[in-house]
Amino acid sequence: MDKKVKRNIKGLNGEVVIPSDKSISHRAVMFSTLASGTSIIKNFSRGKDPHSSLDVFRTLGVDTEFLDETTVKINSSGMLRAPQRPLDCGNSGTTMRLVSGILAGQNFNSELTGDESLSKRPMKRIITPLELMGAKIEADNFHAPLKIYGQQLHGINYNSPLASAQVKSCILLAGLFAEGKTSVTEPFISRDHTERMLKFMGADITVDNTTVTIEKSILQPKNIEICGDISSAAYFIAAGLIVPDSKIILKNVGLNPTRAGILEVTQKMGGNIKILDKKIVSGEEVGDIEIQTSELNACEICGDIIPRLIDELPVIAVMATQAQGDTIVKDAKDLRNKESDRITTIVNELKKLGADIEELEDGFVIHGKTQLKGGCEVETYHDHRLAMSMYVAGLVCQKEILIKNFEWVNISFPEFEEYFYNLGGHS
Ligand code: S3P
């Protein structure tokens, strides 16, 4: 489905209840199935990726029932059943990488497959540590499909070369089934939803700075309420700041500090952003965010903040085209390994719109402020975050743009367009 987006001249105004966090939704399904008993997950994501996780666990024998559109009941014996067919992870890297950790230590064999984009993404980052734990995995050139031959695993102390929550979580989940202690040390802290949720469910897990240690544990089923996804909120934050005459309130946004880098950056850029009503829900910080149109200044984004805003960098690039000065993004080479090579794809598509942007090996430089011209077609490269970032850019282009294959937004945020529409996103 192609989508036309026009410049917004009236401003975006109103409230949005931000839909469910994708990362937490995946984990809620996975960890609930490892607990024996009934778990209720409230505000489960409507996105395709978390539904890929749900489908994988159904194939592994877990009984799931939707009590309403976003409430899932999971009945599990805590044991998984040998799958009768390959487990399709769709477009979801989180599903493939975390599930590999769970399956490596089972007493059966399994195969994980993915779509065209997922089959090109690097899996060496999880295969290497899992093999150190005794796992047996077959993969052509470290790419999906992955054939996993279940083994008895043993604990390791792993110094991860990457600050990656997917890698960390994969090893910790394998550690749940391994003999002895398993620990992972990261160069910088990545999102810590796994640690928080496993602790909430009673796992024997400890965190010491950038090292997390886990031992075999029995998980307790819980009722989990999932907060709104700050990575989805990011599109409204960026649009609210750069579309003239806007004032938006975002409700129920997850504010976990390991995810909230975008708030640090927008405040540094001079964005008029207020955090209201902070509280804790199911072990995660949650609050509301008020955003108003602002004059933005460029800033440098590098080092330990990168994992805290990795998924927001494409829309931050859009925002930076409207900031005065040179915004420099560095140390973000892993952006090249996401659903698309997000360095090349965002640079190419923003150039088409008229941005002054240069590609670096590990990031990009944007010279602002530029009036984006638009009046052209842009691609989405099977990448939901590219599609949504282009939509935000379209709101400030002089001429209408056409976004090809906009349906990729359904991977994380099927409600995206409707929510923008309700704020006056089409003028
Ligand atoms: C995720 C972690 C991040 C992020 C991805 C979701 C997760 O990947 O980019 O969208 O749920 O753990 P890395 O941990 O590989 O950086």
Side-chain angles (χ1 to χ4, degrees):
M1 176 234 317
D2 297 343
K3 173 69 42 204
K4 288 180 180 163
V5 185
K6 271 195 218 155
R7 178 177 194 160
N8 182 286
I9 44 174
K10 290 192 217 125
L12 301 168
N13 283 285
E15 262 185 31
V16 180
V17 181
I18 294 296
S20 171
D21 190 284
K22 176 163 85 71
S23 286
I24 303 177
S25 291
H26 283 293
R27 287 160 171 82
V29 170
M30 295 180 192
F31 306 170
S32 296
T33 65
L34 299 179
S36 158
T38 302
S39 309
I40 306 278
I41 305 173
K42 283 198 184 146
N43 196 29
F44 184 70
S45 170
R46 290 183 167 94
K48 279 191 177 175
D49 268 9
H51 280 259
S52 290
S53 285
L54 203 55
D55 289 344
V56 161
F57 283 94
R58 283 192 187 116
T59 312
L60 288 164
V62 176
D63 173 23
T64 66
E65 183 192 347
F66 271 90
L67 302 182
D68 61 42
E69 237 190 300
T70 57
T71 307
V72 198
K73 182 164 136 190
I74 297 197
N75 282 318
S76 180
S77 63
M79 305 280 284
L80 301 174
R81 199 176 62 198
Q84 299 305 304
R85 55 175 188 274
L87 300 161
D88 181 4
C89 303
N91 187 250
S92 175
T94 307
T95 307
M96 186 166 281
R97 295 194 176 119
L98 272 60
V99 169
S100 297
I102 294 172
L103 294 178
Q106 303 298 320
N107 57 7
F108 54 76
N109 303 335
S110 48
E111 180 175 357
L112 295 172
T113 60
D115 72 2
E116 195 189 321
S117 148
L118 183 54
S119 304
K120 289 188 190 139
R121 295 181 66 188
M123 294 297 150
K124 186 167 194 240
R125 57 185 61 198
I126 56 153
I127 293 175
T128 300
L130 287 176
E131 284 181 345
L132 289 172
M133 296 178 80
K136 202 168 159 226
I137 301 176
E138 257 175 41
D140 186 11
N141 201 17
F142 298 105
H143 289 115
L146 307 181
K147 283 198 176 133
I148 302 182
Y149 301 94
Q151 304 289 317
Q152 177 57 58
L153 305 180
H154 53 84
I156 52 167
N157 297 325
Y158 190 64
N159 246 321
S160 178
L162 294 168
S164 158
Q166 293 183 349
V167 172
K168 172 176 64 179
S169 303
C170 169
I171 300 166
L172 293 174
L173 289 168
L176 264 185
F177 298 94
E179 291 303 335
K181 286 188 184 183
T182 299
S183 69
V184 190
T185 303
E186 304 187 273
F188 304 125
I189 293 175
S190 64
R191 67 190 66 189
D192 66 356
H193 304 303
T194 295
E195 296 89 304
R196 286 174 187 242
M197 198 180 289
L198 286 177
K199 197 166 189 69
F200 180 61
M201 296 176 76
D204 192 347
I205 184 166
T206 52
V207 180
D208 179 11
N209 197 16
T210 54
T211 301
V212 189
T213 305
I214 197 163
E215 281 190 74
K216 257 190 188 170
S217 313
I218 301 206
L219 300 184
Q220 301 303 325
K222 292 275 180 192
N223 292 344
I224 299 172
E225 185 164 344
I226 301 175
C227 57
D229 196 326
I230 191 163
S231 298
S232 300
Y235 304 96
F236 297 94
I237 294 174
L241 290 173
I242 65 176
V243 173
D245 301 319
S246 298
K247 185 171 177 183
I248 309 176
I249 295 187
L250 306 176
K251 310 281 281 183
N252 193 35
V253 187
L255 298 174
N256 179 323
T258 63
R259 292 285 298 282
I262 184 158
L263 299 179
E264 296 171 46
V265 161
T266 44
Q267 275 156 357
K268 213 158 104 184
M269 292 173 90
N272 189 345
I273 289 197
K274 287 189 199 119
I275 312 290
L276 318 163
D277 268 352
K278 264 195 174 181
K279 56 187 180 213
I280 303 278
V281 179
S282 299
E284 294 278 350
E285 287 97 321
V286 181
D288 299 340
I289 306 178
E290 186 189 276
I291 301 124
Q292 285 189 52
T293 310
S294 307
E295 289 297 324
L296 299 178
N297 297 311
C299 74
E300 189 167 318
I301 305 169
C302 58
D304 66 356
I305 197 171
I306 295 293
R308 300 203 296 276
L309 46 64
I310 187 79
D311 290 341
E312 288 64 78
L313 285 169
V315 79
I316 288 175
V318 173
M319 203 166 64
T321 67
Q322 304 308 301
Q324 209 59 251
D326 294 346
T327 296
I328 303 167
V329 173
K330 289 190 301 197
D331 305 325
K333 196 167 175 199
D334 209 34
L335 266 188
R336 295 195 183 274
N337 295 315
K338 298 294 176 185
E339 286 82 332
S340 70
D341 172 344
R342 285 186 180 151
I343 296 182
T344 299
T345 54
I346 193 71
V347 168
N348 286 351
E349 299 318 289
L350 278 177
K351 268 189 187 159
K352 287 183 190 166
L353 299 180
D356 189 354
I357 178 166
E358 285 168 53
E359 181 167 345
L360 305 176
E361 211 210 326
D362 62 346
F364 39 79
V365 181
I366 297 163
H367 308 284
K369 172 179 184 176
T370 317
Q371 172 58 65
L372 297 180
K373 295 193 175 52
C376 60
E377 276 184 18
V378 284
E379 304 290 332
T380 45
Y381 305 93
H382 301 193
D383 187 340
H384 56 130
R385 303 216 182 274
L386 244 289
M388 294 185 278
S389 300
M390 286 299 116
Y391 187 100
V392 173
L395 297 173
V396 294
C397 280
Q398 264 170 341
K399 290 191 191 148
E400 186 176 275
I401 66 168
L402 183 89
I403 307 174
K404 304 288 283 178
N405 301 114
F406 191 69
E407 68 279 5
W408 282 97
V409 299
N410 294 331
I411 288 294
S412 63
F413 197 173
E415 310 88 340
F416 179 84
E417 216 204 335
E418 177 196 331
Y419 284 21
F420 261 103
Y421 190 86
N422 291 341
L423 294 175
H426 282 268
S427 50

